[in-house]
Amino acid sequence: MATIMERVDFVVFDQDGVLYDFDEPGRVEAYARLADRPSAEVEAAIWGSGFDEGADAGDPDTAEGHLAGFAERLGYPITMEEFFRIRRSMMRPRPQVLALANQVAENVDAAVLTNNGFLYKAGLETCAPEAIEIFGDNIHVSAEFFCKKPDPQVFRRICEHYGYPTHATLFIDDKLANVHGAQEAGLKSHLYEDPQSLKAILTRYKLLNT
């Protein structure tokens, strides 16, 4: 039997780069085509200005406010439907990883934590239906916790939200900085590289069906 410090009762998955492939450059280009503006201008206005980082941390604090700020910087009156359509088109589900996540969710509490704002949260049914099928309502954007990865506080807050101690929580992400942030908060963590290494760590903590 695992000791208390070895046990994992709660698993938190990153979304983009773990559960899904995500084309970040393609996203910028798609919004630029929609607005008929150069990609470099759009990237600077939204992702280079600090607006997107602020949205990931909960400012603006509503989907409507996020959309209005995005549209203003994009220079085009983008609708939620257009935003979600483009976001979804940049995502490709990873069947092997989703299958492992499904097994985990059958055995312990599991959730998703993605650096995103309230606008993306409003479009989950369109953008990430495969994840919803596994995690249901347990898909969270960082904006809900008013801070973002790799800030250790966001990991503490999601653990508090579910009532689990950090030492009993495993966090999985493809970015080393986020893994380090989780470790600083006291979580166990795994740097995602491929389905095989992920399966190995989940097996180690007895989180898969036998």
Side-chain angles (χ1 to χ4, degrees), residues 54-163:
D56 287 353
D59 180 23
D61 62 0
T62 64
E64 292 76 15
H66 188 174
L67 181 68
F70 192 95
E72 179 183 356
R73 288 159 181 80
L74 183 62
Y76 172 84
I78 189 170
T79 65
M80 283 194 181
E81 290 73 19
E82 289 171 321
F83 182 93
F84 301 152
R85 174 180 55 78
I86 290 174
R87 185 58 161 85
R88 172 61 181 180
S89 71
M90 298 298 127
M91 300 168 66
R92 294 290 181 273
R94 291 177 170 172
Q96 286 180 281
V97 180
L98 289 164
L100 291 171
N102 189 57
Q103 286 191 52
V104 170
E106 290 176 351
N107 293 307
V108 296
D109 275 349
V112 174
L113 176 62
T114 175
N115 272 353
N116 271 294
F118 286 106
L119 178 56
Y120 178 74
K121 176 77 173 184
L124 279 173
E125 290 186 3
T126 298
C127 298
E130 302 85 1
I132 288 179
E133 187 173 345
I134 295 168
F135 297 96
D137 293 333
N138 294 4
I139 303 176
H140 300 280
V141 296
S142 53
E144 295 174 70
F145 302 101
F146 295 97
C147 51
K148 56 177 289 191
K149 300 178 289 184
D151 186 340
Q153 189 66 4
V154 75
F155 303 107
R156 297 187 187 104
R157 287 177 179 173
I158 194 169
C159 289
E160 290 168 4
H161 179 78
Y162 283 90

Side-chain angles (χ1 to χ4, degrees), residues 22-34:
F22 179 54
D23 183 1
E24 288 193 41
R27 172 182 60 172
V28 176
E29 292 170 7
Y31 288 125
R33 286 194 299 271
L34 184 68

